[in-house]
Each structure stands twice: as C-alpha cells, then as structure tokens.
Amino acid sequence: MTLEAQDEQRAAVKDRLVGAPITQNVGFLLAKLHAVGSIVNNRALAEFHLKERSYSVLMLAASGLEPTQREMADFLSLDPSQIVTLVDELEKRKLVARAPGKQDRRARIVTATSKGKELLAQAAIAVQRAEADVFAALDQDETGRLTALLRKALWGDA
Amino acid sequence: MTLEAQDEQRAAVKDRLVGAPITQNVGFLLAKLHAVGSIVNNRALAEFHLKERSYSVLMLAASGLEPTQREMADFLSLDPSQIVTLVDELEKRKLVARAPGKQDRRARIVTATSKGKELLAQAAIAVQRAEADVFAALDQDETGRLTALLRKALWGDA
DNA sequence: ACGTATAGTTGAAAATGTCAACGATTGAAG
DNA sequence: CTTCAATCGTTGACATTTTCAACTATACGT
C-alpha cells in the first residue's frame, strides 16, 4: 500500500465513527468542535506567545468595559486564581495593567496597554484566519446563524 | 442591600461583559457553551460514576461499530494513552470488554457488555435531561438547526 | 526475511483545575 | 463608631489532565 493510500484509509476510518449515536448529542458536537478549534487557535496564537486563555483576557482588557478580575473569572468560567496567573503574565509583558477599582478598592480593573492593543490587533487577524479554516464547510450565512444560536443559548439573545 | 438584591446585581454584572467584542468570536462562544455544558453533563453523570469522557467511550463501545482504541482516540481527539486509562476503568467495572482486532491483532476492539448497555441507557436519559437545561433558551427547531450546523462544520454533512 | 510503521501500554513531566486559607477592604447592623 | 460577616485578589497545596517518549507485539511492503 502506498503512503497516500494509507492516509486515505486513515481518514476513512476516522470518519467511520461518525455514524455512532453519540454524534447526535449536541454537547458532544460542541466538545469536539471546540477541541478542533482550540488546537487551531492555539497554533495561530503561538507566534504571539498567547494562548486561548490569555487571548480572551487580553480581549476583555481591551474592550473598554474595564472588567475586574472577578468579572473575568465569572465570564470565562475560570477560577479567580487562574485569572491571577494569566494577568500576572500579561502584566509582566506590559500588555495589560492593573488598577484599583474606583468604588471598590479590593477589586482590580484590568486594562490593555497600547502595546497590548497593538499585539491584540495582530493576533485577532490570525485568529480570524484560523477560524475561517475550522468553519470552512460553512458559508458566511451559516456561520452567522451558528453564532446567533450559540449566543442565544448562552444569554437568551434575540 | 438585601441578599437577593446582591444576587441580582451579581447576575447583572456577570452579563455586563456580554457586550465585549470577543463574544462575536465563534470559537469563544463554542468554548464557553462547552464549559457550561461540561459542568452540567458531569453533574448528571456523577450518579453513574461516569464523566463526559467515559460516557463517550461507553457510547462508542455500545454503538455496534466495533471501534478500536486508536479509532476512539482519533475520534475523541484524545491521546491513545488516555483511552487506555478510560477503557481500563470501564473494563474493571465490567461495562466494556476488550477483544483483539479481527484482521489486526495489535488493535483492541472495545464493546459494551450488557451491563454497560444497561447503565448507558440510564445515563443517556440523565444526559438528555441535563442538556435540555443547557439549551433551554432554544426551542426544538433551533436545537436541531444548531446540531445540523455543528455536524456540517465537523464533517461537511449535507 | 528484513526493515519500517503502527496499536496499545507504561511512566514521567508539564500544564491545568480545584480548593482552602489569608490580608485588605467593604457594607450592614447595632 | 465599632463590630461582624462577606467579598476581592492572592498564595500555596493538592488532584486531575495533557503531553510525550519509550517499549513490546504485530503488521506489511520490499
């Protein structure tokens, strides 16, 4: 058997299990597509020394919404201590800055520095390119509908 | 401030970040909804001493497709060694059995025992109930469309 | 028959997740 | 004003998960 033929067979075998009942399970599909997307995203972010997590934090810091670490933890479904680590790292790289909360001095508001915003702009392009790859099988309209459905499931968007 | 009012404010604050640009990112939405679903699914599976992972393996073992461990690893995007651990555990509980591959004796075909199938039937009901909770904001039609879109993104389904 | 590649297994190392404590600060109650 | 419980960020311990490099047994092209 040639190498190419082996590869083809491997691909065929891989898709053999698509018929399993579990593939009708929405949660499973979510998990699998997320797994695929994660790998692709992290690969795209590697050149900026970011990962999905730090990218998300940087995005929130650059959003203008002045999130506290606690808010980020809630929003990203992460433990507060994980946010500490992520922000520490970004802060060390001068991509974000911590400031005490205005009404609540216990809280720490995280904002992106201009350096952080610049890096983010680059990274966002890379992520978008990577994502286009993952969702290549969907046309623009379908991707939009998928986004809308996910948002509605999460927050009941109209 | 009353306790209820605090809870309300907490919820409001939590949703404050929904306006952040990252929530337009399909990959992010996928990750977040998966995170939510994972917690709910694992909670539902706890009473059967299963987790998402072992549940998936059990589902595949019970599918009648006679998957090898390698095929499961590829399909679930897991390292082969993780499959070993998962199958070891299920095998110890007599929920699945390993058999040598018919053409390839290196391979191990994993099939569910009748005890495994019984447990799975119960667990599947619990998962379905849990999932309904996660996707409560979507009606049946929308859930169906979401499933279809995810399948198409993954395998180019029609 | 030989050499290369693959399936499963093992174990070690790195990354992540979970949890409980602590100081600083807040806000409510007396 | 003082007290008291609750919350934010932080730290460190511990468990779980991921990742990777060997190793054995088997398969297969040449």
Side-chain angles (χ1 to χ4, degrees):
Chain A
M1 193 186 289
T2 67
L3 270 177
E4 300 81 41
Q6 269 186 26
D7 276 355
E8 277 169 34
Q9 172 170 333
R10 159 83 68 141
V13 166
K14 195 174 182 178
D15 286 3
R16 196 171 72 84
L17 298 181
V18 172
I22 198 177
T23 64
Q24 299 299 334
N25 184 316
V26 194
F28 169 77
L29 294 171
L30 228 42
K32 179 147 181 69
L33 193 50
H34 170 52
V36 173
S38 251
I39 292 170
V40 172
N41 274 336
N42 281 326
R43 189 156 46 212
L45 288 169
E47 75 172 291
F48 305 101
H49 303 285
L50 291 172
K51 299 189 187 173
E52 265 193 336
R53 291 284 161 81
S54 37
Y55 177 73
S56 300
V57 168
L58 187 51
M59 281 282 270
L60 290 176
S63 69
L65 296 173
E66 308 209 326
T68 67
Q69 295 187 188
R70 166 67 50 169
E71 286 174 317
M72 294 205 266
D74 286 345
F75 193 65
L76 299 175
S77 312
L78 295 177
D79 190 89
S81 62
Q82 292 181 280
I83 302 288
V84 170
T85 308
L86 289 166
V87 173
D88 276 354
E89 215 178 285
L90 293 174
E91 194 180 37
K92 206 166 292 170
R93 293 172 59 191
K94 312 274 187 202
L95 300 174
V96 304
R98 274 187 248 241
K102 285 155 187 170
Q103 314 93 322
D104 189 342
R105 279 182 302 159
R106 285 171 305 180
R108 297 282 157 160
I109 291 174
V110 181
T111 54
T113 63
S114 53
K115 185 179 170 195
K117 285 180 200 163
E118 278 170 38
L119 186 76
L120 181 59
Q122 302 288 119
I125 294 170
V127 166
Q128 207 155 10
R129 233 196 309 268
E131 218 151 66
D133 224 41
V134 174
F135 295 97
L138 303 185
D139 62 36
Q140 201 169 359
D141 191 53
E142 288 169 324
T143 308
R145 263 181 298 177
L146 177 58
T147 306
L149 285 169
L150 294 172
R151 289 182 60 98
K152 185 166 180 183
L154 280 166
W155 302 296
D157 277 23
Chain B
M1 191 185 291
T2 67
L3 270 177
E4 301 81 40
Q6 267 186 27
D7 275 356
E8 277 169 33
Q9 172 170 333
R10 162 81 70 139
V13 165
K14 195 174 183 177
D15 287 4
R16 196 171 72 82
L17 298 181
V18 172
I22 198 175
T23 63
Q24 299 299 333
N25 184 316
V26 194
F28 169 78
L29 294 171
L30 229 41
K32 181 150 180 66
L33 193 50
H34 170 52
V36 173
S38 251
I39 292 170
V40 172
N41 274 337
N42 280 327
R43 188 157 47 213
L45 288 169
E47 75 172 291
F48 306 101
H49 303 284
L50 291 172
K51 298 188 189 174
E52 264 193 329
R53 290 283 162 80
S54 37
Y55 176 73
S56 299
V57 168
L58 187 52
M59 279 283 269
L60 290 175
S63 69
L65 296 173
E66 307 210 327
T68 67
Q69 295 188 188
R70 166 66 53 167
E71 286 174 317
M72 293 203 271
D74 286 345
F75 193 66
L76 299 175
S77 312
L78 294 178
D79 189 272
S81 62
Q82 292 180 280
I83 302 290
V84 170
T85 308
L86 289 166
V87 174
D88 277 354
E89 216 179 284
L90 293 174
E91 194 179 37
K92 205 165 294 171
R93 294 172 60 192
K94 312 273 187 205
L95 301 174
V96 304
R98 275 188 248 240
K102 286 155 187 169
Q103 314 92 324
D104 188 342
R105 279 183 302 159
R106 287 171 305 179
R108 298 280 157 161
I109 291 173
V110 182
T111 54
T113 64
S114 52
K115 184 180 171 197
K117 284 180 201 164
E118 277 171 39
L119 187 74
L120 181 59
Q122 301 288 118
I125 293 170
V127 166
Q128 208 156 6
R129 234 195 308 268
E131 218 151 66
D133 225 41
V134 173
F135 295 96
L138 303 185
D139 62 36
Q140 200 167 0
D141 190 53
E142 289 169 323
T143 307
R145 263 180 298 174
L146 177 58
T147 305
L149 285 169
L150 293 172
R151 289 183 60 98
K152 185 166 181 183
L154 280 166
W155 303 296
D157 278 24

